[in-house]
Amino acid sequence: MVVKKPYRILVVDDEPDLEPLILQRMRRKIRSGSYSFEFARNGVEALEMLNIHQDIDMVVSDINMPQMDGLTLLEQIPKVDPDIRSIIISAYGDMKNIRTAMNRGAFDFVTKPLDFEDLQVTIDRTLRHLEEWREALASRDKLVALQNELDVASSTQQSILPKVFPRSADYQVFGHMEPARNVGGDFYDVIRLEGGRIGLAIADVSDKGVPAALFMMSSRTLLKGAAIGTADPGEALREVNELLYEENETMMFVTVLYSIYNPETGRLTYSNGGHDAPMLVRSDGSSELLPLTGGVALGVAPDLDFPSSTVDLAHGDTILLYTDGITEAMNADGEQFGVGRMHEVFAENPPENSEQAAKAMFEAVKEFVGDTPQSDDITCLVVRRHEESS
Amino acid sequence: MAALHRILIVDDEPDLEPLILRRMRRKIRAGLYEFLFAANGVKALEVLNERPDIDIVISDINMPEMDGLTLLEQIRKVDPNIRAIIVSAYGDMKNIRTAMRRGAVDFITKPIDFEDFEETLERTIIQLREWKVALLARDTMVSSQSESNPAAGA
């Protein structure tokens, strides 16, 4: 159990009688460890004490004292520590001094002759207020730390996304991610393989923040390594899954759709690790989701198989890989964007090129959600086989 | 445009309203303060319920229907972030102490010294602003944590 330190209260008065009186009247609070008292004879001594004992929480001060009076002390205390709370002791009915004390930032006052019950209630009230204030300040500090952490995660995520895409006379690739305010776990990658083939990966890490960003980094590195070693997307996922599983103490997982496009034949081979099905959009604007291949998310279980499947792209066909940031984008009524609306995006306006197709999708999602805050990353990676040049 | 700070004055003396409006006219015109008025505690609570954007209540003690000391206890239930200042007779230590113990952040005395009135109001507003900034930080953190970890929020 954490033992809470007693609140330290500095009592400032030139009357020597006050010290034994307070110690006697407050003995229960002292014995129970709620309060501890320090004493000073005037403002100068009080400031010295505040500088020596930096853990003093509050000051209870008389007004009339030699060397430095209580009202001057009130002005000095915030310079030592603005979070120290002060109570002033005034003569009964001395309105002028009480008003001055309050306007100089005293939290409250008590009057002489001291009513110890009132003093204790006032001290308790002051300390309660101080505690609330400190909690709020601590939240503020934590918020700053959290924001720093999110910035790290966000820049890590951004740093791994390719910004330049392969293109040729036959095809064009384009990818984009709209990050959620608090950093989701999406990424995509474009990997140049032997024989002019292109590896296209899109993924969504289960968690968010710095741990997810690190998991994302290792997923991406492992995938890149595996991709270069094999021509079969399912085999690449199988290898990544084994490696992620071995080192995955955090029980995070990642869904991945990995495909290899061969520009020479127009054939796309893909394998799915628990990710959303790719969407094929024909040049007439009609579209369909490609059949899932049956694999589950990577990183949670060993010895899994990831079957691959193929689709032959006709000229003018477009493949969209995307994350659930699109399908689950929510509007103000709590409706999801859904696959149906994805089909609608191209029904009337067939894709012109990869970049335009991706942007049309982002536009449609943006229009659908309106002002509703984005809660997840939205990511889209597109490859399009050009129309045959006539 | 709405004023920066909204202050509810509670007093059964009708003279106070024009006096405050006249004394504070510069601040009102500058859009810093908006003053609302209520003639007793019951009416004050009605105004507070209608206008959740009131920051500060300055209340007299002796009023019909509901006095200022009772109002102090009710304000906390409406919104614990509202800051209350009590207006007492000069030297009425008993009521002032009761008001402070019931959570008033400060007091002013009658007849109102407008210099003290303004100083007290400004100090209260500064403290309130600091408090709200800290609260905002806390709320932002709570919401960002539940967003970045939906399982914990569910």
Side-chain angles (χ1 to χ4, degrees), chain A residues 34-329:
Chain A
S34 307
Y35 300 166
S36 76
F37 287 94
E38 306 290 335
F39 295 88
R41 296 268 175 263
N42 59 57
V44 175
E45 267 189 47
L47 287 178
E48 281 168 11
M49 300 276 286
L50 288 177
N51 278 311
I52 295 167
H53 305 287
Q54 297 193 343
D55 55 350
I56 287 174
D57 302 291
M58 66 176 288
V59 173
V60 179
S61 177
D62 194 23
I63 293 181
N64 297 315
M65 294 177 298
Q67 286 190 276
M68 184 193 289
D69 68 18
L71 296 177
T72 311
L73 176 63
L74 269 180
E75 289 184 315
Q76 297 298 319
I77 288 173
K79 296 177 191 165
V80 180
D81 178 353
D83 293 330
I84 291 176
R85 296 289 179 264
S86 307
I87 295 173
I88 215 79
I89 307 171
S90 87
Y92 192 88
D94 181 0
M95 300 308 286
K96 194 164 161 286
N97 274 331
I98 294 172
R99 287 312 309 148
T100 305
M102 294 302 282
N103 281 331
R104 288 189 183 179
F107 181 76
D108 203 345
F109 68 97
V110 289
T111 56
K112 285 184 177 178
L114 271 179
D115 169 349
F116 279 91
E117 195 263 350
D118 192 31
L119 178 63
Q120 185 159 325
V121 169
T122 305
I123 288 175
D124 281 340
R125 196 171 79 90
T126 309
L127 291 173
R128 214 163 41 238
H129 162 87
L130 184 64
E131 201 55 45
E132 277 182 24
W133 174 240
R134 283 179 178 166
E135 273 170 31
L137 281 187
S139 305
R140 191 190 60 188
D141 295 346
K142 266 191 249 167
L143 179 68
V144 171
L146 183 72
Q147 196 52 55
N148 289 340
E149 187 176 296
L150 289 176
D151 288 346
V152 170
S154 169
S155 58
T156 304
Q157 184 185 24
Q158 287 293 342
S159 71
I160 68 171
L161 298 177
K163 304 288 188 300
V164 179
F165 303 100
R167 57 195 306 161
S168 77
D170 303 315
Y171 73 98
Q172 186 200 5
V173 172
F174 182 80
H176 182 68
M177 183 196 66
E178 282 291 330
R181 190 165 57 91
N182 287 310
V183 186
D186 286 8
F187 73 95
Y188 61 80
D189 205 0
V190 180
I191 308 157
R192 286 162 203 270
L193 301 170
E194 275 181 285
R197 288 171 305 123
I198 301 291
L200 300 163
I202 194 159
D204 186 353
V205 172
S206 59
D207 219 321
K208 296 174 184 188
V210 170
L214 294 174
F215 192 77
M216 187 189 293
M217 290 288 270
S218 58
S219 302
R220 182 236 185 190
T221 308
L222 292 173
L223 181 62
K224 202 167 208 132
I228 288 167
T230 174
D232 175 35
E235 184 50 40
L237 291 189
R238 185 186 158 76
E239 193 180 322
V240 174
N241 181 55
E242 294 304 318
L243 294 169
L244 279 181
Y245 177 75
E246 275 170 28
E247 293 168 16
N248 188 2
E249 282 153 18
T250 52
M251 288 309 286
M252 273 187 264
F253 59 87
V254 58
T255 68
V256 186
L257 190 298
Y258 178 53
S259 62
I260 297 173
Y261 178 65
N262 186 343
E264 268 178 36
T265 59
R267 172 166 285 192
L268 184 87
T269 311
Y270 66 96
S271 183
N272 189 355
H275 200 82
D276 299 80
M279 180 180 248
L280 168 63
V281 189
R282 307 275 181 201
S283 56
D284 64 358
S286 65
S287 56
E288 63 190 90
L289 293 186
L290 298 181
L292 288 171
T293 54
V296 300
L298 280 61
V300 281
D303 304 324
L304 296 179
D305 278 326
F306 295 88
S308 295
S309 190
T310 60
V311 58
D312 290 316
L313 301 191
H315 289 280
D317 279 358
T318 305
I319 292 284
L320 263 96
L321 311 182
Y322 54 92
T323 57
D324 58 9
I326 289 184
T327 48
E328 292 172 8

Side-chain angles (χ1 to χ4, degrees), chain A residues 99 103 108-109 118 125, chain B residues 97 100 106-107 116 120 123:
Chain A
R99 287 312 309 148
N103 281 331
D108 203 345
F109 68 97
D118 192 31
R125 196 171 79 90
Chain B
R97 286 310 308 149
M100 295 299 283
D106 207 343
F107 69 97
D116 189 26
T120 302
R123 192 162 32 77

